[in-house]
Amino acid sequence: MAKIVTDVVCPFCGTLCDDLEVALSDDGKEILEVYNACAIGATKFLHSQASDRLTRPQKKQEDGSWKEVTYDEAADYTAKMLVDAKKPLMYGWSSTSCSAQGVGAEIGEEVGACMDNTATVCHGSTLIAVQDVGVPSATLGEIANRADRVVFWGCNPAHAHPRHMSRYSIFPRGFFTGKGSKSRQMIVVDPRNTDTAKMADVHLQLEQGHDYELLSAIRVAIRGEKLPDVVAGISKEQIYEVADTLKSGRFAVIFFGMGVTHSLGKNHNIDIAISVTRDLNDYTKAAIVPMRGHYNVTGSGQVWGWQFGFPFCLDLTRGFARYNPGDSSSNDLLVRDELDAVFVLGSDPGAHFPVRSVKKIAQLPSVCIDPHITPTSAVSKMHVPVAFVGVEVGGCAYRMDNVPIETKKVVEPPEGMLTDEEFLQLVLNRVRELKGAA
Amino acid sequence: MAKVILTPNQTPTLFLEAENITPDVFAGKDAAEIAALHGFVGKTTVTLGDYFTIEGAGGQTAADTTVVINGDVSRVKYIGMKMSAGELIVNGNADMYVGGWMTGGKITVNGDIEAFAGLGMTGGELIVNGNAGNYLGAAYRGDWRGMQGGEIRVSGNAGSDVGTFMRGGTIVVGGNIDVHVGTHMEGGTIIVKGDAKTRVGGQMVKGTIYVYGDIDVMMPGFQYRNDSDLEVDGDKGRFALYEGDMGERHPKKKGEVIYGQLYMKY
Ligand code: SF4
């Protein structure tokens, strides 16, 4: 008889599903089956079981080969690199727990680092916009129970957040949405005919890169002002109709993703989408929610927000927190040659950053902390594998709607492996020793 | 007027943060005292003397101090930040935040500058004989007060996000300009003598934008009003007036709604 662990939280995407069930072998050591999760979520659990998994830190040798070292040696190397550097970057932080992020923030403060998380390549523009114009938002629970107008703008949950629609946004039968998807009008705005778009009641297939203009046109239509005949490839009749649909709902919600956060205009697109939401609140209740990718990128912004006042692109080099994406953002820092060491945890810039940034990482002293062998670990000088958060160790994570959820430990990590929080604590202690000695 | 001449003697390996390079800080100091002023490279504290050869001395006040930088400072940030009087001349390219939050005096850069120049400035002149980067005369992140007074003149092209949240003063761009001009603008004047791309005056509340060249895509919230003959920055011509952004809130003055004004030259 397999042992079943219930109420497991999926540490993959920002939907942070908390209803998973995991079947373990009799000795409780092996994950046999994952229930309720989508395919990508289940893979994350099963992947942790790979037999060829790296279980000890490795240091790259002169000839490019890897040599196993102890966690203490790895912590010493990392601490020295961070203390010696004039301007180190500590990047990532999106696939780990809030408590590990907290220890990381302490290290960053001690060594005067630039700190950045994966928002910098996905929803950073959202954070900038929120700071500029505020944000009327809601929790996914509220949305499941109330939203009768659901807009997906530049996002494709059918693939990127597979259980989002079934758990929260379209299909659930909520208190005021008793007929499930029939209670809701679904509007998708996307230049591509995605699988999400195929399900929509209305698909606005706008011209690529004209989201700002279309959102502006919706604002004009909400106010009943005159529009040109066509905006962003969409006829004015259809724009007025969509504006009316949104205004006539009891509760409208706009979900948006990388299609708007990283197309032309970036933060301005979100800024004006927030403005649309604000305008709608003159007529009905409306909220806007970013479709955050990594399961705890939101938490990383929360932790830094309460510790430093800014959610990403932190520059702590002068002993106080400064923030200005465009200057203190990791890609700009890398491309402009502003850094002399790179530390990566819980993210894979090797796969997500532009090639010219990755080349810079390869040239600098670098440490990568990641359970997997990744493009980033491959170009780093030191690779420290750690236990999987949400599988082999618990810890707090924030869902895309800023609701904190405690993830669960399901199995033990391989013998002798540290969690990232434990490893960071070693680094922090060593940093304090080195600085005390100096 | 007393003059201080700075000649770069090495390029910073990372970037030098030198908000001390202003007439305000240099006033009342001799060359040795100026050389001892601090700057920052990452988390290390350095002196201006580490990176510049310094000749001359500051005047008694900022107003009678001229600072000249002879050479490339494209790896030096914050030149002329918060300056209030006097003159600063850069003969070379400069990096980010030139004249950020300046309140008075005059900065002339004979070269190109990077992003965030004239950020939130309230007075003075910033002259760029070259190109400017993004966020010229804009607001610092999260601030709703961009440029509020003074004048910025760029002879070449400017980047994106020029005059975001601008509330006063004038920005003149001799060449072309990238996307997002005067977004959230609440006052002041932007003159673009070349072409603009898209998103001119998006979410604009008040203020005036002139574009001599083309606009690739007009914002849907602007409505044509009339044609008129105007003289703008010494150039005469016929302009079409558009008002907007109709999607945005607008204040009322004497019972009339005030819109942002966008003039396009024929
Ligand atoms: S939708 Fe996201 S959180 Fe839910 S099971 Fe799939 S990957 Fe995991």
Side-chain angles (χ1 to χ4, degrees):
Chain A
M1 249 301 278
K3 216 171 106 187
I4 304 280
V5 190
T6 57
D7 301 320
V8 175
V9 178
C10 171
F12 189 82
C13 83
T15 315
L16 217 59
C17 297
D18 52 4
D19 62 342
L20 272 50
E21 296 189 351
V22 177
L24 300 181
S25 60
D26 287 338
D27 56 4
K29 283 189 177 151
E30 211 186 317
I31 297 175
L32 301 176
E33 209 74 63
V34 182
Y35 304 108
N36 298 347
C38 69
I40 42 179
T43 310
K44 169 118 189 198
F45 281 92
L46 298 170
H47 208 90
S48 69
Q49 305 281 298
S51 55
D52 57 350
R53 182 172 157 193
L54 208 58
T55 55
R56 290 293 178 275
Q58 302 218 38
K59 190 164 182 286
K60 198 180 262 171
Q61 304 299 298
E62 293 281 326
D63 63 358
S65 65
W66 293 91
K67 182 178 162 239
E68 190 177 303
V69 294
T70 65
Y71 276 108
D72 284 320
E73 286 166 327
D76 178 63
Y77 177 90
T78 310
K80 280 193 178 130
M81 177 189 88
L82 292 172
V83 170
D84 289 346
K86 285 183 181 164
K87 198 167 184 179
L89 171 68
M90 296 179 74
Y91 176 78
W93 308 107
S94 301
S95 296
T96 188
S97 67
C98 291
S99 43
Q101 289 160 353
V103 182
E106 279 187 79
I107 299 175
E109 206 171 343
E110 286 280 359
V111 303
C114 288
M115 300 190 78
D116 203 0
N117 56 39
T118 55
T120 211
V121 287
C122 59
H123 275 281
S125 41
T126 308
L127 301 169
I128 295 172
V130 167
Q131 203 184 7
D132 279 337
V133 291
V135 64
S137 200
T139 64
L140 294 176
E142 221 176 329
I143 289 159
N145 281 307
R146 293 172 188 272
D148 60 349
R149 301 287 186 269
V150 182
V151 182
F152 290 107
W153 199 302
C155 56
N156 186 10
H159 290 284
H161 299 84
R163 298 184 69 217
H164 190 279
M165 289 188 282
S166 60
R167 272 174 67 79
Y168 302 111
S169 48
I170 300 295
F171 297 107
R173 293 166 191 269
F175 198 81
F176 299 105
T177 49
K179 293 204 181 106
S181 66
K182 288 202 187 70
S183 323
R184 298 181 172 92
Q185 293 242 29
M186 176 175 171
I187 301 169
V188 173
V189 188
D190 202 308
R192 300 165 305 158
N193 192 16
T194 60
D195 286 335
T196 308
K198 286 183 189 124
M199 298 165 57
D201 298 301
V202 180
H203 176 202
L204 297 181
Q205 199 162 4
L206 81 172
E207 286 166 10
Q208 177 91 39
H210 289 280
D211 303 83
Y212 187 79
E213 284 85 353
L214 185 56
L215 284 156
S216 176
I218 292 176
R219 294 190 75 198
V220 173
I222 288 173
R223 281 170 205 254
E225 292 282 352
K226 242 178 27 213
L227 275 176
D229 291 341
V230 179
V231 178
I234 310 291
S235 74
K236 71 173 175 196
E237 289 75 20
Q238 209 175 3
I239 296 170
Y240 284 120
E241 212 176 288
V242 164
D244 280 341
T245 306
L246 291 173
K247 275 160 83 172
S248 65
R250 280 177 295 137
F251 187 128
V253 60
I254 302 175
F255 292 105
F256 64 95
M258 300 268 292
V260 262
T261 59
H262 270 260
S263 61
L264 180 74
K266 295 187 175 181
N267 54 307
H268 296 288
N269 300 336
I270 312 314
D271 175 324
I272 199 163
I274 292 172
S275 301
V276 168
T277 314
R278 205 176 47 201
D279 294 346
L280 283 172
N281 275 297
D282 286 344
Y283 303 90
T284 178
K285 165 83 184 159
I288 181 163
V289 179
M291 298 288 266
R292 306 297 298 264
H294 288 71
Y295 74 91
N296 198 23
V297 59
T298 313
S300 152
Q302 290 280 352
V303 171
W304 293 353
W306 80 61
Q307 295 197 331
F308 302 115
F310 305 110
F312 77 126
C313 293
L314 291 165
D315 182 342
L316 305 172
T317 50
R318 299 221 339 220
F320 55 93
R322 289 184 296 169
Y323 158 88
N324 191 11
D327 176 6
S328 60
S329 32
S330 35
N331 265 311
D332 295 285
L333 291 169
L334 281 166
V335 170
R336 280 161 49 90
D337 282 321
E338 292 210 34
L339 302 167
D340 54 357
V342 179
F343 165 106
V344 179
L345 183 147
S347 161
D348 186 10
H352 305 299
F353 274 20
V355 178
R356 54 190 185 139
S357 298
V358 180
K359 278 194 184 140
K360 303 279 182 186
I361 300 178
Q363 289 158 8
L364 294 170
S366 45
V367 173
C368 172
I369 298 160
D370 199 302
H372 301 281
I373 294 174
T374 64
T376 310
S377 75
V379 300
S380 299
K381 311 292 174 293
M382 172 80 79
H383 178 196
V384 184
V386 285
F388 280 95
V389 176
V391 182
E392 296 162 344
V393 57
C396 180
Y398 277 73
R399 203 165 65 186
M400 60 169 70
D401 56 349
N402 289 302
V403 171
I405 295 176
E406 190 70 19
T407 66
K408 224 172 188 174
K409 174 174 178 168
V410 181
V411 287
E412 288 293 333
E415 185 73 32
M417 259 190 109
L418 296 187
T419 65
D420 41 14
E421 190 182 343
E422 288 165 340
F423 179 70
L424 288 170
Q425 199 59 56
L426 284 182
V427 175
L428 178 60
N429 296 344
R430 188 71 190 112
V431 162
R432 289 194 168 136
E433 273 170 33
L434 290 168
K435 285 190 67 181
Chain B
M1 218 171 181
K3 202 182 229 182
V4 185
I5 300 175
L6 275 65
T7 313
N9 56 25
Q10 63 160 311
T11 309
T13 43
L14 300 175
F15 273 72
L16 173 64
E17 297 180 6
E19 59 264 41
N20 274 339
I21 304 183
T22 64
D24 299 69
V25 180
F26 286 7
K29 296 192 174 67
D30 63 22
E33 286 169 319
I34 292 170
L37 287 170
H38 67 263
F40 300 93
V41 172
K43 56 190 169 192
T44 58
T45 307
V46 297
T47 64
L48 294 186
D50 295 340
Y51 290 88
F52 298 95
T53 312
I54 293 153
E55 296 160 80
Q60 284 207 320
T61 62
D64 48 34
T65 302
T66 298
V67 181
V68 181
I69 303 176
N70 279 327
D72 180 79
V73 276
S74 56
R75 291 182 77 79
V76 182
K77 296 181 188 178
Y78 300 112
I79 291 171
M81 181 166 116
K82 295 188 180 168
M83 79 179 253
S84 69
E87 214 180 327
L88 199 159
I89 300 162
V90 183
N91 293 313
N93 299 336
D95 194 48
M96 295 175 173
Y97 306 103
V98 174
W101 298 279
M102 75 186 280
T103 59
K106 181 175 179 182
I107 300 179
T108 309
V109 183
N110 295 310
D112 296 341
I113 55 169
E114 259 290 341
F116 307 112
L119 211 64
M121 77 185 262
T122 53
E125 276 175 89
L126 169 58
I127 311 291
V128 183
N129 295 312
N131 301 319
N134 304 339
Y135 292 96
L136 181 71
Y140 174 65
R141 303 276 181 205
D143 197 339
W144 45 274
R145 293 153 303 191
M147 181 177 181
Q148 293 150 71
E151 185 173 297
I152 300 178
R153 251 172 209 284
V154 178
S155 68
N157 302 327
S160 68
D161 299 275
V162 171
T164 305
F165 285 107
M166 183 171 178
R167 302 179 72 78
T170 305
I171 301 176
V172 184
V173 177
N176 303 329
I177 199 162
D178 207 339
V179 297
H180 285 288
V181 183
T183 309
H184 285 294
M185 195 168 167
E186 296 237 9
T189 305
I190 301 176
I191 301 168
V192 182
K193 300 199 173 179
D195 295 332
K197 291 182 172 166
T198 61
R199 306 177 179 192
V200 180
Q203 294 165 286
M204 184 176 184
V205 179
K206 270 194 318 187
T208 315
I209 302 176
Y210 297 91
V211 180
Y212 289 10
D214 285 336
I215 295 180
D216 284 352
V217 183
M218 193 74 169
M219 286 302 296
F222 277 81
Q223 292 175 4
Y224 171 76
R225 293 288 191 246
N226 54 46
D227 286 0
S228 53
D229 292 306
L230 299 173
E231 189 177 327
V232 181
D233 197 42
D235 308 309
K236 284 192 185 139
R238 195 159 177 78
F239 288 82
L241 167 63
Y242 294 80
E243 287 193 321
D245 175 342
M246 294 299 158
E248 187 55 68
R249 73 188 156 85
H250 292 284
K252 268 191 182 166
K253 203 174 167 188
K254 292 190 186 127
E256 249 183 76
V257 184
I258 310 292
Y259 294 100
Q261 300 189 311
L262 170 58
Y263 288 95
M264 287 194 60
K265 197 168 178 221
Y266 282 104

